[in-house]
């Protein structure tokens, strides 16, 4: 009976209270910042919760996996006294005893982490929807501490980083195929706040080995390769209806969804750009990692990162380097989102994605399995088409180029870049 009552209060009151942030009622004239006022007003409750979490888990009174999402979320709480205890409890009662519990709850943990971080940012006024900056240095302090604990075991570290990019894949899949029940697209489309949070976290974690940023860059490249063609073909279609769009007439496509997908891909490109700049990742390293289909060799696992700043300033440098993407959901936000997508794709030399595609992403239905086989993409774009969104095929190869030379990975000649076939959004550049 006592156990039943405890589990009832645990699920109905304790876990929700851990995620609750009471609004600060501080006096602006006191000179205290909004963040400091929030931390001070919530500190007694959070510290009492940490003591309760430790007592309950030490005595085994509840299922330990139920505490994982809340404890991970509290690692981002901008109060050292709270996030240090949260990290220590996770280490003592979850990670060192039942690591499988932690890995099985990673997706829920990232969702809870986002909800708490977003709530804190919104209340403190640090949320920047125009640039997609959700996390602050104060929040990252505890998350960096958690990641250092996770990074001790490679498999846990790899699983954690996979979840950060999996939210992008899930967002693309949900917007493309709709919910399982009704089959319709979600009413709110893609949650750009969640994707912006994930991108902030990807660039701000303290990576020690070059394998870690390479894993994220490889995942970003794969998602861009799969999803960019949808946005490009949509922009091509939009240019044909530019007059109707300017006149406010109905068009046969969802402008908001196109903007959201463009912003999502832009966030991936920003993650890649920041990681490459901060950790000095070269084209050859990316190509070598991709050739192994994301499985790094034992030699690579021991290579340490060449950080561009001291460990204590890496978070600030990464967040400062992050140029940002507009994640607003206003009526005309799609215009700036699509323009940002166009700019970042050009900067990233978008056509390089058609040069080398990991074997795992090649179409299983193609007759061959070499690099010239067609990819399975939303608009069924062929490798040799050089990103031809309208479906029309131009010249498959450059002058003097053979299919064999075109099939060679970009790492053999990284300076060889093919410009995009068409200018995108010409109708909206004026």
């Amino acid at each position: 009976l006592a156990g039943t009552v405890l589990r009832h209060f645990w699920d109905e009151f304790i876990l929700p209270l851990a995620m609750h942030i009471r609004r600060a009622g501080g006096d602006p004239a006191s000179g205290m910042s909004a963040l400091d006022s929030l931390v001070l007003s919530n500190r007694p409750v959070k510290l009492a919760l940490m003591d309760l979490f430790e007592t309950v888990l030490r005595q085994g009174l509840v299922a330990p996996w139920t505490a994982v999402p809340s404890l991970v979320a509290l690692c981002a709480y901008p109060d050292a006294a709270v996030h240090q205890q949260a990290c220590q409890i996770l280490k003592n009662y979850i990670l060192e005893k039942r690591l499988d519990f932690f890995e099985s709850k990673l997706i829920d943990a990232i969702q809870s982490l986002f909800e708490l971080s977003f709530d804190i940012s919104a209340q403190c006024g640090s949320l920047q929807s125009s640039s997609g900056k959700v996390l602050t240095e104060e929040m990252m302090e505890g998350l960096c501490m958690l990641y250092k604990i996770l990074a001790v075991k490679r498999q846990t570290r790899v699983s954690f980083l996979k979840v950060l990019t999996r939210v992008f894949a899930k967002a693309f899949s949900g917007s493309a195929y709709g919910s399982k029940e009704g089959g319709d697209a979600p009413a709110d489309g893609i949650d750009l706040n969640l994707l912006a949070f994930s991108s902030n976290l990807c660039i701000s974690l303290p990576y020690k080995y070059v394998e870690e940023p390479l894993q994220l860059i490889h995942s970003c490249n794969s998602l861009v390769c799969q999803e960019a063609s949808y946005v490009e073909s949509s922009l091509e279609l939009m240019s044909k209806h530019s007059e109707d769009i300017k006149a406010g007439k109905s068009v046969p496509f969802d402008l908001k969804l196109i903007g959201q997908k463009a912003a999502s891909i832009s966030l991936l490109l920003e993650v890649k750009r920041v990681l490459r700049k901060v950790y000095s990742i070269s084209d050859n390293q990316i190509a070598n990692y991709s050739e192994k289909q994301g499985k790094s060799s034992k030699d690579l696992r021991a290579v340490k990162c060449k950080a561009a700043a001291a460990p204590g300033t890496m978070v600030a440098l990464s967040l400062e380097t992050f140029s940002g993407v507009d994640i607003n959901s206003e009526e005309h936000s799609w215009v700036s989102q699509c323009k940002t997508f166009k700019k970042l794709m050009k900067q990233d030399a978008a056509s390089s994605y058609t040069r080398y595609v990991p074997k795992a992403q090649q179409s299983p239905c193609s007759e061959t399995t070499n690099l010239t086989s067609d990819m399975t993409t939303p608009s069924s774009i062929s490798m040799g088409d050089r990103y031809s969104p309208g479906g029309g095929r131009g010249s498959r190869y450059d002058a003097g180029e053979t299919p064999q030379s075109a099939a060679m990975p970009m790492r053999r000649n990284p300076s060889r870049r093919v410009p995009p076939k068409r200018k995108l959004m010409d109708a909206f550049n004026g």
Side-chain angles (χ1 to χ4, degrees):
L1 179 60
T4 303
V5 173
L6 177 61
R7 286 192 295 272
H8 169 75
F9 280 98
W10 179 259
D11 294 334
E12 297 296 328
F13 298 100
I14 304 301
L15 294 180
L17 185 60
M19 299 294 296
H20 177 72
I21 300 296
R22 185 175 64 181
R23 292 187 177 276
D27 184 7
S30 63
M32 185 179 296
S33 67
L35 179 61
D36 292 338
S37 179
L38 182 143
V39 168
L40 186 61
S41 62
N42 286 273
R43 177 175 293 170
V45 175
K46 298 303 180 187
L47 291 178
L49 280 171
M50 290 297 94
D51 293 338
L52 182 59
F53 268 82
E54 184 171 12
T55 301
V56 169
L57 291 177
R58 183 177 64 248
Q59 297 182 12
L61 300 177
V62 298
W65 60 83
T66 60
V68 171
S70 298
L71 286 172
V72 171
L74 288 170
C75 289
Y77 192 74
D79 185 350
V82 175
H83 66 237
Q84 286 177 5
Q85 286 195 49
C87 290
Q88 195 62 40
I89 293 172
L90 273 172
K91 179 181 178 181
N92 293 341
Y93 302 106
I94 306 293
L95 297 175
E96 292 184 352
K97 294 184 178 181
R98 293 301 302 267
L99 186 60
D100 54 327
F101 288 167
F102 179 82
E103 294 182 353
S104 66
K105 300 296 289 185
L106 266 177
I107 295 179
D108 294 336
I110 294 298
Q111 181 65 35
S112 298
L113 180 58
F114 158 68
E115 292 173 359
L116 184 65
S117 302
F118 188 81
D119 191 12
I120 294 174
S121 297
Q123 291 195 35
C124 295
S126 59
L127 177 63
Q128 301 178 25
S129 297
S130 59
S131 62
K133 294 185 178 180
V134 179
L135 291 171
T136 63
E137 293 183 52
E138 293 83 1
M139 296 179 193
M140 282 305 306
E141 183 179 345
L143 293 176
C144 290
M145 186 182 301
L146 172 64
Y147 184 75
K148 289 178 181 178
I149 297 174
L150 300 180
V152 173
K153 294 189 177 181
R154 180 178 178 274
Q155 184 56 45
T156 306
R157 180 188 72 208
V158 169
S159 299
F160 184 77
L161 295 180
K162 279 183 178 180
V163 172
L164 295 183
T165 53
R166 192 178 299 167
V167 296
F168 284 89
K170 185 178 179 181
F172 290 133
S173 176
S175 63
Y177 304 109
S179 60
K180 294 182 179 180
E181 293 79 7
D184 298 326
D188 297 330
I190 297 174
D191 188 354
L192 291 179
N193 291 318
L194 173 59
L195 301 189
F197 162 79
S198 181
S199 63
N200 287 186
L201 193 54
C202 285
I203 64 173
S204 303
L205 292 173
Y207 302 121
K208 182 178 181 180
Y209 298 103
V210 70
E211 176 193 21
E212 299 165 62
L214 278 176
Q215 178 187 339
L216 292 172
I217 292 173
H218 175 75
S219 299
C220 291
N221 278 345
S222 300
L223 288 168
V224 171
C225 180
Q226 295 167 19
E227 302 295 337
S229 56
Y230 168 83
V231 179
E232 289 192 319
S233 58
S234 298
L235 295 178
E236 186 75 14
L237 183 61
M238 287 164 60
S239 65
K240 298 177 182 179
H241 294 80
S242 58
E243 296 301 326
D244 292 338
I245 294 174
K246 291 179 180 179
K249 298 180 181 179
S250 61
V251 288
F253 41 81
D254 190 342
L255 294 172
K256 182 179 179 181
L257 181 60
I258 294 172
Q260 289 177 340
K261 280 207 168 187
S264 303
I265 296 172
S266 298
L267 287 169
L268 290 169
L269 293 172
E270 271 292 279
V271 170
K272 177 184 174 183
R273 184 187 66 82
V274 173
L275 291 177
R276 292 194 62 176
K277 182 175 181 179
V278 172
Y279 293 99
S280 303
I281 304 296
S282 66
D283 289 338
N284 285 337
Q285 288 176 314
I286 297 173
N288 287 331
Y289 189 89
S290 298
E291 278 187 347
K292 297 177 176 61
Q293 301 180 24
K295 297 179 181 178
S296 59
S297 63
K298 292 183 179 180
D299 295 336
L300 183 60
R301 297 177 188 177
V303 178
K304 293 187 177 181
C305 292
K306 297 179 181 178
T313 60
M314 285 299 296
V315 173
L317 175 63
S318 298
L319 292 175
E320 182 180 350
T321 308
F322 184 75
S323 298
V325 177
D326 185 3
I327 59 173
N328 281 308
S329 57
E330 298 175 358
E331 183 179 358
H332 297 291
S333 295
W334 62 269
V335 177
S336 62
Q337 290 166 348
C338 291
K339 286 185 176 181
T340 302
F341 165 83
K342 172 188 172 182
K343 181 184 71 173
L344 293 178
M345 286 292 282
K346 283 185 176 180
Q347 291 177 355
D348 196 60
S351 58
S352 65
Y353 291 111
T354 64
R355 283 300 200 177
Y356 177 77
V357 181
K359 188 174 181 180
Q361 293 180 23
Q362 296 177 14
S363 172
C365 301
S366 59
E367 295 180 359
T368 61
T369 57
N370 58 24
L371 294 176
T372 57
S373 61
D374 291 345
M375 291 188 303
T376 303
T377 61
S379 53
S380 300
I381 297 176
S382 176
M383 290 279 293
D385 283 341
R386 307 272 200 266
Y387 267 83
S388 180
R393 293 174 180 262
S395 174
R396 290 179 62 86
Y397 307 108
D398 295 334
E401 185 179 38
T402 64
Q404 290 75 20
S405 63
M408 295 176 65
M410 273 301 296
R411 71 183 182 88
R412 298 187 181 180
N413 191 358
S415 63
R416 185 177 175 215
R417 300 290 183 183
V418 182
K421 182 175 179 181
R422 297 174 181 173
K423 292 183 178 180
L424 303 177
M425 287 197 67
D426 290 339
F428 305 98
N429 284 338

